[in-house]
Amino acid sequence: HDRLARSTACRATRCRCGRFKRLLMQIARFVLVGLVTNAVYLAALALCQFALGTMLWMGAALAYVASAVFNYMAHRRFTFRSGAGHLDALPRYAAVQGVGLAINSVMLAVLVTRLGWHFALVQVLSLIAVTAWSYAAQRIWVFAPPGAQRRH
């Protein structure tokens, strides 16, 4: 019985370790996509400004849209490896981004404007909060298989 109990415990530990490793890899892919998304934004902005000669605000808007499309597609395929349909996932993704914008705006309004915290500190805290929110919401809701109950 001792041998069976140890064998079962080892399998359970390997299973937990495997899930944890997959979760860490997914988080690493999420961060990597975020970094590449910023590079896409900057490259698109530079293209609009220097090659196409658009006005700054228009170039920034076009670059934002290009980077948002890249981000959605990269997270769907690379980070979460989801087969969720665009009709389900895209509106959810947009909602998650809207909530992220609200989190950032409220943190800045309250912590900087009302409480006088330093802008840079609040922006770092906001980046952490919005990234955590975005990862969790995309994993659990946006790119979850249709009808699936995900275990965490």
Side-chain angles (χ1 to χ4, degrees):
H1 291 296
D2 238 10
R3 196 176 240 174
L4 179 61
R6 277 189 303 224
S7 175
T8 303
C10 286
R11 277 195 303 270
T13 301
R14 278 193 302 265
C15 183
R16 281 192 299 274
C17 287
R19 276 193 294 238
F20 184 69
K21 184 178 177 181
R22 284 191 302 276
L23 178 64
L24 287 179
M25 291 303 297
Q26 187 178 64
I27 291 170
R29 289 191 306 268
F30 186 84
V31 170
L32 177 62
V33 166
L35 293 172
V36 174
T37 297
N38 283 298
V40 168
Y41 173 81
L42 293 173
L45 180 59
L47 175 71
C48 288
Q49 275 302 116
F50 302 119
L52 302 177
T54 63
M55 293 187 295
L56 179 60
W57 68 268
M58 186 181 297
L62 292 171
Y64 186 87
V65 169
S67 64
V69 169
F70 169 81
N71 188 268
Y72 167 77
M73 297 302 292
H75 281 318
R76 183 173 178 269
R77 288 288 180 204
F78 177 67
T79 303
F80 298 104
R81 298 179 178 160
S82 174
H86 296 299
L87 290 178
D88 290 326
L90 190 55
R92 291 177 180 187
Y93 175 82
V96 168
Q97 298 311 307
V99 171
L101 174 62
I103 291 169
N104 183 64
S105 299
V106 167
M107 287 182 72
L108 288 170
V110 171
L111 298 177
V112 175
T113 306
R114 298 249 189 241
L115 300 179
W117 289 24
H118 193 275
F119 168 79
L121 170 64
V122 175
Q123 201 59 76
V124 168
L125 295 174
S126 176
L127 177 66
I128 294 167
V130 171
T131 299
W133 152 255
S134 183
Y135 173 77
Q138 288 183 57
R139 177 178 165 81
I140 295 167
W141 186 51
V142 175
F143 297 116
Q149 294 294 320
R150 300 199 65 169
R151 291 177 40 201
H152 300 284

